[in-house]
Amino acid sequence: MDKRDYVIGVDYGTDSVRAILVSASDGNTISQSVFNYPRWQKGMYCQPEKNQFRQHPLDYIEGLEYTVRTCLQEAGSAVSTQVRAISIDTTGSTPVAVNEQGVPLALLDEFQHNENAMFLLWKDHTAIHEAEQINQQAKNHPVNYLRYVGGVYSSEWFWAKLLHILKSDEKVQSACYSFVEHCDWIPFLLTGGQHIKDMKRSICAAGHKALWAKEFGGFPPEVFFTSIDPRLKGFTKRLYDNTYTADKPAGRLSKAWAERLGLGEDVVIGVGAFDAHMGAVGGQIKPYYLSKVMGTSTCDMLVAPESEVGDKLIKGICGQVVGSIIPGMTGMEAGQSAFGDTYAWLKKVLLWPLEKNIDDSNEPLFSKLSDNLLVQLNEEAALLNFDADSELALDWLNGRRSPDANQGLKAALTNLSLGTNAPALFRALAESTCFGAKMIVERFKQEGIPIKGIIGLG
């Protein structure tokens, strides 16, 4: 009889959630499952022209139940009694307003269709003005509270997004007791948390996105936040004092969720973390090797021994946090706000006439063209010569993440002529992606962090 122990990993991405069932003894994959977010696929609560990207918590809940149960069904019923742990990673910063019990406001009847009560996806850039407020106030403050996040606060992050929804929606402002990252909420949900104070928060999310640092004794003082906007009064007290690395338990599976998933209540639930940070772990990251986790965006992760980093501050990256990737190591994050999104944009533009004019009889042809388009563009682009008159691009289709975050920047194409064709546009965008990646490597090196090699994964 199979006596092996099994573990489940759940990865929440931009478009879908994936679960994998793994044998703990040898690391072999037993089964896996993917669930595309149905509300997100319909574009609900999103306004791309305003850089507004929101997701409903029901997409996450339904996806969690479907993927885990599917993995167990494919593996066989006997396996469910041998699952010992579940760990979660998510995109981030992807926070949501919650009540005192830790329930996202979007799950309450009053807010079930309120876009400001949804999770604000990492690539939601509606808080550009609020990020500017934070950066301006930080410049005027005698203590540099941005020194562990590269010196610039981004509209992709926790405090800017919180302030934006508080300013945008009085009803949400009144009901918002606290603000919670997606990676912290899912373990809280699975363990049956009843009060926000019981939620175990990830050092990964806290340090890279929320200005929490052990050197500050936690968060910057409340006066720093109220000087930015009085609406932030009281939030640090309703957040957290302690943070945890991803190797710690958040608790055990609640009775309700044990029944929903078909598992036992003895299953340990790990503290959550961000997808790119855990992707770097899966990619076997090692000191001074830059792990490029490539997807909708890129997150470029690096670890170095805390003793070697010391008091060195890396300008223009997305934070340096001890334990955010590997306990005992300083984790550093950089990245590009649009990677896969860049090519998805080009594909959407090129297919627009067909998409608007096809009928059901042509659907198979359209699907074939859609599936093959980027592959064909890549093949043709590789044949093009490059010279001083070639098309050039900037990859800031969703702003710039690193170095020196500025989500207000826009992409550009130049050197276009009547001879410019689709493969040439693809080549220019691919080159811009590579140039953006090179700038991140150069910044690390300029700041005294050597890059010994690159690990690519996605």
Side-chain angles (χ1 to χ4, degrees):
M1 184 177 178
D2 185 357
K3 295 293 185 180
R4 289 184 292 177
D5 292 334
Y6 298 91
V7 292
I8 294 173
V10 182
D11 168 49
Y12 283 93
T14 298
D15 299 320
S16 62
V17 56
R18 298 163 286 276
I20 185 169
L21 178 71
V22 174
S23 168
S25 61
D26 54 23
N28 286 333
T29 299
I30 307 302
S31 58
Q32 53 190 309
S33 177
V34 179
F35 177 89
N36 294 311
Y37 307 135
R39 296 162 190 82
W40 171 256
Q41 287 187 312
K42 295 176 182 177
M44 296 172 69
Y45 318 112
C46 297
Q47 298 183 57
E49 68 280 3
K50 294 183 178 179
N51 284 319
Q52 176 179 304
F53 299 97
R54 310 286 166 87
Q55 293 185 328
H56 201 293
L58 286 177
D59 275 356
Y60 300 157
I61 293 172
E62 292 166 6
L64 176 65
E65 185 169 4
Y66 173 86
T67 55
V68 172
R69 290 194 72 92
T70 300
C71 280
L72 293 172
Q73 289 167 4
E74 290 183 2
S77 58
V79 167
S80 62
T81 61
Q82 296 161 253
V83 172
R84 304 300 175 218
I86 301 174
S87 275
I88 310 292
D89 70 55
T90 75
T91 67
S93 182
T94 302
V96 69
V98 298
N99 63 13
E100 191 171 354
Q101 288 70 47
V103 177
L105 298 187
L107 293 178
L108 306 177
D109 290 344
E110 181 182 357
F111 296 101
Q112 60 180 316
H113 297 300
N114 185 325
E115 60 192 22
N116 295 312
M118 308 294 162
F119 280 88
L120 282 71
L121 188 64
W122 63 268
K123 70 176 183 176
D124 186 300
H125 291 164
T126 52
I128 287 177
H129 177 67
E130 289 73 19
E132 290 175 353
Q133 285 182 260
I134 294 171
N135 285 316
Q136 189 58 48
Q137 189 57 36
K139 291 178 184 177
N140 298 329
H141 203 278
V143 178
N144 180 9
Y145 288 116
L146 304 185
R147 64 182 183 268
Y148 297 112
V149 293
V152 183
Y153 201 79
S154 170
S155 63
E156 292 186 343
W157 299 348
F158 186 91
W159 288 104
K161 287 178 171 176
L162 171 59
L163 181 54
H164 179 74
I165 66 162
L166 296 181
K167 291 165 64 177
S168 302
D169 195 315
E170 289 186 1
K171 288 185 177 180
V172 170
Q173 179 187 342
S174 297
C176 178
Y177 181 83
S178 190
F179 213 42
V180 172
E181 285 284 358
H182 185 192
C183 71
D184 294 331
W185 180 65
I186 295 294
F188 179 79
L189 176 74
L190 287 173
T191 55
Q194 299 294 312
H195 194 281
I196 194 70
K197 66 178 177 60
D198 299 324
M199 183 179 293
K200 287 191 174 180
R201 310 281 192 135
S202 161
I203 182 62
C204 175
H208 285 279
K209 314 300 179 184
L211 299 180
W212 191 98
K214 63 179 182 180
E215 293 84 355
F216 304 151
F219 292 109
E222 182 168 274
V223 66
F224 171 74
F225 293 106
T226 55
S227 66
I228 298 167
D229 193 294
R231 279 168 280 216
L232 293 176
K233 181 178 175 60
F235 271 95
T236 55
K237 295 178 182 177
R238 301 197 298 271
L239 285 170
Y240 46 93
D241 296 318
N242 299 316
T243 61
Y244 302 86
T245 50
D247 59 325
K248 304 299 182 188
R252 293 187 182 273
L253 193 62
S254 69
K255 180 179 180 181
W257 271 97
E259 292 174 354
R260 288 181 72 164
L261 298 178
L263 294 169
E265 293 178 55
D266 59 339
V267 174
V268 175
I269 306 299
V271 167
F274 286 154
D275 52 358
H277 297 68
M278 294 302 100
V281 174
Q284 300 181 35
I285 191 171
K286 53 186 177 181
Y288 303 110
Y289 277 72
L290 192 65
S291 288
K292 292 187 65 66
V293 185
M294 298 173 282
T296 310
S297 67
T298 75
C299 286
D300 297 359
M301 316 307 302
L302 186 143
V303 295
E306 182 182 3
S307 59
E308 294 180 14
V309 176
D311 296 330
K312 186 176 299 188
L313 298 173
I314 315 305
K315 183 175 180 257
I317 65 171
C318 303
Q320 53 190 88
V321 181
V322 176
S324 64
I325 301 175
I326 296 175
M329 291 270 189
T330 297
M332 304 179 200
E333 177 189 350
Q336 295 165 271
S337 291
F339 178 70
D341 262 351
T342 298
Y343 306 102
W345 168 80
L346 179 63
K347 178 178 174 180
K348 186 175 182 180
V349 169
L350 295 177
L351 290 176
W352 184 87
L354 287 174
E355 189 175 12
K356 292 297 181 183
N357 290 285
I358 62 167
D359 55 33
D360 291 344
S361 63
N362 292 321
E363 181 61 37
L365 176 61
F366 178 80
S367 296
K368 183 178 180 180
L369 288 171
S370 178
D371 290 343
N372 294 332
L373 179 60
L374 293 180
V375 174
Q376 291 175 331
L377 287 174
N378 181 64
E379 292 172 351
E380 292 295 321
L383 303 176
L384 297 178
N385 294 321
F386 174 78
D387 57 36
D389 294 323
S390 294
E391 294 80 4
L392 293 173
L394 283 171
D395 72 330
W396 300 332
L397 274 89
N398 203 13
R400 183 179 66 208
R401 179 178 291 164
S402 305
D404 305 317
N406 185 341
Q407 305 304 340
L409 294 175
K410 303 294 184 182
L413 284 161
T414 189
N415 274 9
L416 303 185
S417 72
L418 292 177
T420 299
N421 57 20
L425 290 178
F426 180 90
R427 188 208 57 79
L429 290 170
E431 185 185 52
S432 74
T433 299
C434 295
F435 182 78
K438 181 182 179 183
M439 290 300 96
I440 292 170
V441 171
E442 292 300 317
R443 176 56 61 90
F444 274 115
K445 291 164 67 176
Q446 289 165 10
E447 294 293 307
I449 301 296
I451 304 295
K452 296 182 178 180
I454 290 178
I455 300 169
L457 63 152

